[in-house]
Amino acid sequence: HLFRAGSRRPAKNENDNAHAASASNGTGCFLAGNRTISRQRRWFFFNVNNAHPYENPSPLTNFFEVLATLVIPAAFCYTFGILVGDRRQGWAILIAMLLIYVPCVYLGSIAEQQGNPALHSMGIDPAPQALLYPGGNMEGKETRFGIINSSIYAYAATAAASGSNNAMVDSLMPLGNLFAIWLMHTGEIVFGGTGSGLYGMLMFVLMTVFIAGLMVGRKPEYLGKKIDVYEMKMASFSVLVMPIAVLLLTALALMIPTGVSAIGNPGAHGFTEILYTFTSLVSTNGGSMGGLNSNTPFYNVVGGLAMFVGRYWTAIPTLAIAGSLARKKGTPANAGTVLTYTPLFTFLLVGIAIILGALTFFPALSLGPVAEHLMLWK
């Protein structure tokens, strides 16, 4: 199907098919997430969530909604700098988040703009040719937003755990899905939810301080507080609980019939749908792709347990570290102290976050979006 409706229900007659193909309702909507019928039995097509024309009618409102999604998590970084008495610490964390987020948006947008190679065999050119023909992969997207605005919104939503969408995530290209999932695989440290992205990134800061201390042969410290074995155990636990829960629950869903039977798109994409669902359940708001029937007893019960583990067993170690550091006396910085606001430390922080996320989830991502991409472009 070139254009998939959000409800995945077949049209009732030829007129419905014509409406679905043209997607002409006067509001610029491209696909149908649900259908409303007037007294004259006319079909109107509106998508759901932030793709609805009353919720998000124009690119301008789309911009402000993306800004509203990211501004509070980003502001917490600055607030953190004020609270610790050194704004440079907050700026370093915010820059690290941006260094991860911006390349994901850029690469994901390129993947969407390249389009689906299957269209070439149908004589359809995915290259943009005019203002009204943006080309690329427009499946599941609103014509009033296009590819770029839809991609920016999708990655802002997955990075900030907002749970909102203005396009079908299930319709993204494989690499587009990869970057959306990977932003959650980092542990929601790139902006993340209000506050949670900050303390998630702080766990990586402690690990970076520990590694930097090993490099220079000094005992690690952060903000004048010594980082001991207890803090490193709690930080490691907080960082590892998410990938362990996601990978184990994904494997469980693939091993039992009730988990596999909910897949609407078998193959590599079906694996991606399950991986996305449990990643979102543990890390963010608990969303799923449209091709997976997650409203089943198995996914409801296991998903509830996943959200319990993801919410509490990352926050509890963070609170334990906060209590431990609060009891310690501060030590003044000296010539051997690792400065945690320099560009060098910021790039080291980004590298550790990327390497940890890549090493943990690379095998799973290889079976899902990477395999699907290779099959499309073979």
Side-chain angles (χ1 to χ4, degrees):
H1 299 279
L2 289 180
F3 310 118
R4 291 194 295 225
S7 61
R8 301 297 178 90
R9 292 179 296 181
K12 292 185 178 181
N13 53 51
E14 294 179 358
N15 290 331
D16 298 341
N17 287 326
H19 279 289
S22 63
S24 174
N25 66 348
T27 60
C29 292
F30 195 65
L31 295 179
N34 51 19
R35 298 174 178 179
T36 59
I37 310 174
S38 67
R39 293 181 179 179
Q40 291 80 20
R41 300 293 296 176
R42 296 177 181 175
W43 289 90
F44 294 89
F45 296 89
F46 297 104
N47 215 319
V48 294
N49 208 293
N50 278 37
H52 198 286
Y54 300 159
E55 169 73 17
N56 192 8
S58 69
L60 180 61
T61 59
N62 191 72
F63 166 77
F64 282 113
E65 293 197 10
V66 171
L67 181 63
T69 301
L70 300 178
V71 67
I72 296 180
F76 265 81
C77 299
Y78 184 77
T79 304
F80 172 77
I82 295 177
L83 292 177
V84 301
D86 189 354
R87 297 182 182 181
R88 295 173 296 182
Q89 305 289 343
W91 283 114
I93 294 175
L94 179 59
I95 292 173
M97 292 180 177
L98 290 172
L99 288 176
I100 299 175
Y101 175 72
V102 173
C104 289
V105 175
Y106 178 74
L107 296 174
S109 300
I110 291 177
E112 292 299 306
Q113 192 63 62
Q114 286 182 342
N116 193 329
L119 298 179
H120 287 285
S121 61
M122 305 176 64
I124 301 176
D125 187 3
Q129 298 178 3
L131 180 62
L132 298 179
Y133 184 70
N137 176 37
M138 277 298 294
E139 178 190 327
K141 298 178 178 62
E142 304 288 323
T143 54
R144 66 185 186 277
F145 298 140
I147 292 175
I148 302 301
N149 286 328
S150 299
S151 298
I152 292 175
Y153 199 105
Y155 300 127
T158 53
S162 68
S164 57
N165 281 299
N166 69 353
M168 292 288 289
V169 179
D170 199 21
S171 295
L172 294 177
M173 295 299 294
L175 293 185
N177 271 323
L178 184 146
F179 292 112
I181 298 174
W182 190 80
L183 282 171
M184 296 186 288
H185 282 167
T186 58
E188 285 299 314
I189 63 173
V190 182
F191 300 111
T194 302
S196 62
L198 174 62
Y199 71 68
M201 180 62 89
L202 288 176
M203 297 300 102
F204 279 90
V205 169
L206 294 182
M207 299 186 70
T208 306
V209 167
F210 176 75
I211 295 174
L214 293 177
M215 291 179 178
V216 299
R218 288 183 57 88
K219 191 172 183 178
E221 61 181 65
Y222 183 57
L223 301 177
K225 302 295 183 72
K226 297 293 184 181
I227 307 300
D228 295 317
V229 176
Y230 178 78
E231 286 80 21
M232 288 311 304
K233 286 182 178 179
M234 291 296 101
S236 300
F237 184 85
S238 178
V239 170
L240 293 176
V241 67
M242 184 275 294
I244 291 174
V246 170
L247 294 175
L248 287 179
L249 293 177
T250 301
L252 175 64
L254 293 170
M255 291 170 59
I256 60 177
T258 54
V260 177
S261 62
I263 299 176
N265 303 284
H269 190 72
F271 177 84
T272 302
E273 291 173 347
I274 294 180
L275 180 65
Y276 181 97
T277 296
F278 283 110
T279 302
S280 181
L281 285 168
V282 177
S283 292
T284 65
N285 66 299
S288 63
M289 292 185 178
L292 182 71
N293 180 22
S294 56
N295 188 21
T296 63
F298 169 76
Y299 282 100
N300 286 332
V301 173
V302 177
L305 295 175
M307 287 190 287
F308 175 80
V309 171
R311 301 305 183 274
Y312 289 100
W313 292 106
T314 54
I316 292 175
T318 305
L319 293 174
I321 293 175
S324 176
L325 294 179
R327 291 192 296 268
K328 294 183 178 182
K329 294 182 178 180
T331 57
N334 53 51
T337 301
V338 176
L339 301 179
T340 54
Y341 55 79
T342 62
L344 178 61
F345 182 85
T346 303
F347 280 103
L348 182 60
L349 172 60
V350 171
I352 290 175
I354 292 175
I355 291 173
L356 184 60
L359 292 179
T360 305
F361 287 101
F362 180 75
L365 293 173
S366 298
L367 295 175
V370 174
E372 186 182 5
H373 173 79
L374 295 177
M375 287 187 292
L376 275 178
W377 292 89
K378 64 181 179 179

